[in-house]
């Protein structure tokens, strides 16, 4: 669902969804007259959709960035207009293979489609979108990966040069327990990943301090 901090800040007018390869994408261009030199790709959480994290563009103040908010491919069974990357009610994570394949196909064509190098792109996600970020992100030479209230599905597929990772989590999160974030940090550090880890006095949400940390990490990574 939508992070509470962001719900009240969604812009009243947003671009239409545009199909790119196999994914539905909400593309947010820089302000008029500014050419994009870097990109931020955002993956929403369970039951939300591509609009959910779009207001981060207003908060992050990255004027030369283009934003790509991706729609998960699977309809949510309970939320009208909501999407999911896989079924949380299934121990087998039904739908994960499909979402992984569609994300990979989209990233395979990313540079040719957008003109932005992956090395100048940060991939970030909230909750289930954070899990997908860590699931797929290490397969590509991103500038950095960000999981907000996220987690690992299992041992990550680590290949080549490993991008730095920012992990942000609420101490009072009852949806994705704090222990999941701590285990994620331990697993990634043990595998040689550079991890920047922060906990906040919040629940399953995105707070202003977290947005500031995301901005600082993005600028440092790119």
């Amino acid at each position: 669902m939508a992070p509470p901090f962001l719900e009240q800040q969604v812009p009243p007018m947003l671009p239409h969804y545009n199909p790119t390869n196999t994914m539905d994408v909400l593309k947010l261009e820089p302000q008029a007259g500014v050419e994009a030199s870097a990109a931020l790709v955002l993956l929403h959480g369970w039951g939300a959709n591509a609009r959910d994290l779009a207001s981060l563009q207003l908060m992050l103040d990255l004027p030369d960035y283009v934003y790509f908010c991706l729609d998960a491919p699977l309809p949510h069974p309970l939320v009208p207009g909501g999407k999911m990357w896989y079924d949380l009610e299934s121990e087998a994570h039904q739908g994960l293979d499909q979402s992984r394949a569609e994300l990979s196909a989209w990233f395979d064509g990313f540079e040719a489609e957008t003109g932005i190098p992956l090395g100048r792109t940060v991939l970030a996600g909230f909750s289930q979108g954070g899990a997908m970020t860590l699931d797929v992100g290490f397969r590509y030479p991103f500038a950095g990966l960000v999981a907000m209230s996220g987690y690992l599905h299992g041992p990550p597929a680590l290949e080549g040069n490993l991008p730095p990772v920012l992990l942000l989590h609420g101490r009072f999160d009852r949806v994705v327990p704090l222990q999941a974030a701590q285990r994620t940090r331990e697993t990634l550090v043990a595998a040689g990943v550079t991890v920047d880890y922060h906990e906040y006095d919040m629940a399953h949400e995105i707070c202003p301090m977290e947005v500031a940390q995301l901005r600082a990490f993005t600028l440092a990574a790119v």
Side-chain angles (χ1 to χ4, degrees):
M1 300 298 293
F5 173 63
L6 298 183
E7 285 181 341
Q8 299 176 358
Q9 311 225 9
V10 176
M13 296 294 291
L14 288 172
H16 295 292
Y17 289 94
N18 296 305
T20 304
N21 293 341
T22 58
M23 303 294 298
D24 282 341
V25 182
L26 179 60
K27 182 179 180 182
L28 303 175
E29 300 276 8
Q31 61 186 1
V34 177
E35 183 177 354
S37 65
L40 188 61
V41 179
L42 299 172
L43 308 182
H44 64 77
W46 191 69
N49 57 41
R51 290 175 59 101
D52 193 51
L53 300 179
S55 59
L56 283 174
Q57 184 192 35
L58 302 178
M59 305 175 205
L60 288 172
D61 188 26
L62 300 170
D64 59 340
Y65 276 65
V66 57
Y67 291 70
F68 297 93
C69 304
L70 274 57
D71 232 5
L74 305 173
H76 192 277
L78 301 176
V79 181
K83 298 295 187 69
M84 63 182 184
W85 298 98
Y86 49 87
D87 185 3
L88 286 177
E89 305 300 324
S90 166
E91 293 184 5
H93 290 161
Q94 185 175 358
L96 175 58
D97 288 343
Q98 176 185 343
S99 290
R100 183 184 288 144
E102 293 195 19
L103 273 176
S104 297
W106 193 78
F107 288 131
D108 286 344
F110 180 84
E111 293 185 341
E113 181 76 22
T114 68
I116 303 292
L118 289 171
R120 292 190 57 80
T121 300
V122 170
L123 173 62
F126 174 75
S127 193
Q128 193 181 63
M132 293 304 301
T133 293
L134 298 176
D135 186 285
V136 176
F138 289 109
R139 306 177 187 197
Y140 296 91
F142 288 110
L145 306 177
V146 183
M148 299 174 282
S149 303
Y151 51 93
L152 281 170
H153 296 132
L158 304 179
E159 302 176 9
N161 295 325
L162 303 176
V165 173
L166 175 63
L167 299 178
L168 307 170
H169 215 95
R171 295 187 180 96
F172 311 125
D173 192 333
R174 295 185 178 181
V175 178
V176 180
L178 179 61
Q179 291 78 7
Q182 294 170 340
R183 287 194 300 270
T184 295
R185 175 187 58 184
E186 294 167 1
T187 299
L188 294 179
V189 169
V193 178
T194 299
V195 177
D196 188 6
Y197 178 86
H198 298 268
E199 297 176 2
Y200 302 93
D201 289 332
M202 65 178 189
H204 193 66
E205 58 189 306
I206 295 176
C207 69
M209 290 183 295
E210 199 170 9
V211 175
Q213 195 65 50
L214 170 60
R215 183 180 190 275
F217 175 84
T218 298
L219 290 172
V222 175

